Amino acid sequence: LDKQSFDALLLDVQLPAMDGLAMLNELRRRELGMPVIMMSGHASIEVAMEATRRGADDFIEKPISSDRLLLSLKRSLELAELQQENQELRRRYGPGEKLLGKSPPMTRLRQQIELAARSSAPVLVLGQRGTGKELVAAAIHAGSTRSGGPLEKLNCAAVPEGLIESELFGHEAGAFTGATKQRRGKFERAHGGTLFLDEVGDMPSQMQAKLLRVLQEGEIERVGAGSVVRVDVRVVAATNKALEAEIDAGRFRADLFDRLNVVPLTVPALSERSEDVPLLVEHFLELACETHDRPGKQITAGAMRVLEGYPYPGNVRELRNLVERLVILTPGETITESEARALLPAVSGSPGGGYFRPETPLREMLESAERDLIRRSLELHRGHVTKTAAELGLERSHLYKKMRALGIRKPGAE
């Protein structure tokens, strides 16, 4: 093995110089990434499980069936090939390259990411929704010594409270209703790599205590198991919540915050780096045209000024969605100022939040706001003009006049 490489290794548990488990440890210590299939005629279930924990791809009992062995080899080699392709794609098109922006806040963030990546300390990524916290986590992993290992992700807010422990730590067969087979959790799958915990501020309090224990001791216990498994995982957590306020309210553990907050990074809001908007628009424009099979589109200087002037409460994610809408809903090859202006209220997120337009007469901004508010109210009341007028504090006839003046079509139902 020191002199040449192999596609796969068939390894017996009982060997004359050292046992197979000890050799498996040595293989992993030397970071020899070939698939390993363990074999034994006398091993117990515990030995098979231990071999799997230490990185064996499969465990086969003797006497060995040729069909079983060939199938195991086929699957192991296919998986190894996919992992190699994945690593190559990460190297070429790493997540860090998608952290676009040349503004001072983004330059500082990249420097902090580079420094943070060199350690194995936990990182807490803070920032508003849509700023790109997941990309920061991916960039930290890609720049670390763990980049060859897995990057596992879990959105703590998206998993039901009753299942989050199984998602993180795995479970044994029969541990609960529906657990028909053993399943490794995120921590085990991230062994040797990085685990990204998104929306960690929404983690249930009971799980916060168990997460703290794993961070302190490096051990996890599957649901329904009576033994612990050692894991080597770097945790990167993210939240858009003010965790200090959550601590004061009794919803987040102060000791867990201290453990996660070893290296804090804050992702700037798009409003703090508005000079990056043109670069992001051009990138998302090209991406959207390719994704939706549209010919390349251009954007006028006026349309770009409109996009630069919008506050983007949803940050980069909202800008990307807006550019995608422009690509889909504009018929021509060039996106004009009026087309960009017309779509902005539809994504403003809060009435009155996105009606200001630089270098635009007050009358036009007021008309845009009125048009959007009336349309929203009509949608809320399913086209019922009388209810809409009452909600807006207008006479029914006055509302009709405004609708005609603003070009709002009369609803089909009263």
Side-chain angles (χ1 to χ4, degrees):
L1 288 171
D2 285 334
K3 295 177 181 178
Q4 71 178 96
S5 61
F6 296 86
D7 294 317
L9 178 64
L10 306 180
L11 183 60
D12 206 318
V13 172
Q14 295 185 355
L15 298 172
M18 67 168 71
D19 67 54
L21 293 177
M23 185 170 178
L24 185 59
N25 283 343
E26 181 66 14
L27 293 170
R28 295 318 181 207
R29 188 186 69 79
R30 298 189 188 192
E31 298 183 351
L32 299 175
M34 72 193 66
V36 176
I37 299 172
M38 299 287 292
M39 305 172 292
S40 178
H42 310 284
S44 63
I45 295 176
E46 288 75 15
V47 173
M49 291 176 64
E50 184 62 25
T52 304
R53 288 193 191 104
R54 296 189 190 189
D57 293 78
D58 200 358
F59 192 98
I60 301 177
E61 290 187 75
K62 296 179 180 178
I64 296 172
S65 159
S66 299
D67 291 341
R68 171 76 172 83
L69 177 61
L70 289 173
L71 179 61
S72 180
L73 275 170
K74 181 175 183 293
R75 288 176 176 173
S76 298
L77 291 170
E78 287 176 349
L79 179 60
E81 185 178 359
L82 285 173
Q83 289 173 338
Q84 186 175 357
E85 289 178 1
N86 187 31
Q87 290 178 10
E88 179 64 18
L89 288 171
R90 284 183 183 180
R91 186 186 65 80
R92 290 185 183 179
Y93 311 108
E97 294 181 11
K98 297 179 182 178
L99 282 169
L100 299 177
K102 300 178 181 178
S103 61
M106 286 303 293
T107 301
R108 285 194 299 271
L109 179 61
R110 284 199 192 87
Q111 292 170 347
Q112 292 171 342
I113 289 171
E114 184 178 352
L115 292 172
R118 296 174 187 172
S119 77
S120 290
V123 178
L124 182 60
V125 186
L126 305 170
Q128 299 177 9
R129 62 183 178 88
T131 50
K133 297 186 288 296
E134 185 174 339
L135 290 180
V136 171
I140 291 170
H141 175 74
S144 73
T145 56
R146 298 169 175 266
S147 59
L151 171 61
E152 291 287 333
K153 304 173 185 178
L154 179 69
N155 187 326
C156 300
V159 181
E161 184 173 346
L163 295 178
I164 191 167
E165 183 175 3
S166 173
E167 282 292 319
L168 282 173
F169 306 142
H171 61 254
E172 297 291 342
F176 51 84
T177 303
T180 57
K181 59 182 180 180
Q182 184 193 77
R183 183 175 184 272
R184 294 193 305 157
K186 294 289 186 180
F187 266 100
E188 278 191 88
R189 281 182 273 172
H191 182 71
T194 306
L195 174 60
F196 175 54
L197 297 176
D198 199 7
E199 305 296 349
V200 73
D202 294 298
M203 179 174 284
S205 57
Q206 183 180 1
M207 281 305 304
Q208 292 177 28
K210 294 183 178 182
L211 174 60
L212 178 63
R213 179 179 175 275
V214 175
L215 293 175
Q216 290 173 336
E217 301 179 13
E219 294 178 344
I220 61 110
E221 184 176 334
R222 294 195 192 114
V223 178
S227 59
V228 297
V229 179
R230 295 288 301 176
V231 290
D232 174 24
V233 176
R234 188 204 195 156
V235 171
V236 178
T239 183
N240 59 15
K241 291 187 173 181
L243 290 185
E244 291 90 342
E246 295 294 302
I247 292 170
D248 293 340
R251 292 187 292 266
F252 201 82
R253 294 179 62 105
D255 46 5
L256 178 58
F257 172 75
D258 293 337
R259 190 69 182 176
L260 293 173
N261 198 41
V262 177
V263 182
L265 297 180
T266 300
V267 187
L270 188 53
S271 59
E272 298 172 25
R273 56 182 190 107
S274 55
E275 60 264 50
D276 289 331
V277 169
L279 177 65
L280 291 166
V281 168
E282 293 293 346
H283 174 71
F284 293 144
L285 196 64
E286 181 180 352
L287 195 63
C289 288
E290 182 179 345
T291 301
H292 298 287
D293 196 23
R294 302 293 173 90
K297 286 179 180 277
Q298 303 296 319
I299 185 165
T300 66
M304 186 66 82
R305 283 195 299 270
V306 169
L307 298 181
E308 287 181 89
Y310 183 63
Y312 296 104
N315 293 292
V316 178
R317 184 186 298 134
E318 184 176 9
L319 173 60
R320 179 172 183 167
N321 290 342
L322 175 60
V323 172
E324 195 166 6
R325 286 189 183 94
L326 287 168
V327 167
I328 295 170
L329 298 178
T330 53
E333 295 182 0
T334 301
I335 298 171
T336 65
E337 180 178 348
S338 60
E339 289 171 331
R341 201 184 298 280
L343 281 184
L344 277 177
V347 295
S348 63
S350 59
Y355 301 122
F356 175 72
R357 304 289 183 269
E359 302 177 10
T360 303
L362 176 62
R363 177 183 55 80
E364 290 187 21
M365 288 190 285
L366 290 174
E367 287 181 354
S368 176
E370 280 192 316
R371 184 181 297 109
D372 184 43
L373 291 169
I374 290 172
R375 282 175 174 166
R376 290 180 185 218
S377 186
L378 283 166
E379 289 174 3
L380 179 65
H381 295 292
R382 298 182 180 180
H384 200 298
V385 177
T386 302
K387 290 182 180 179
T388 300
E391 180 182 68
L392 298 176
L394 300 173
E395 293 291 336
R396 187 165 175 269
S397 59
H398 189 192
L399 177 57
Y400 270 118
K401 288 179 183 178
K402 278 191 170 292
M403 289 168 59
R404 284 195 295 270
L406 296 170
I408 300 173
R409 295 181 62 183
K410 180 180 176 180
E414 275 293 305

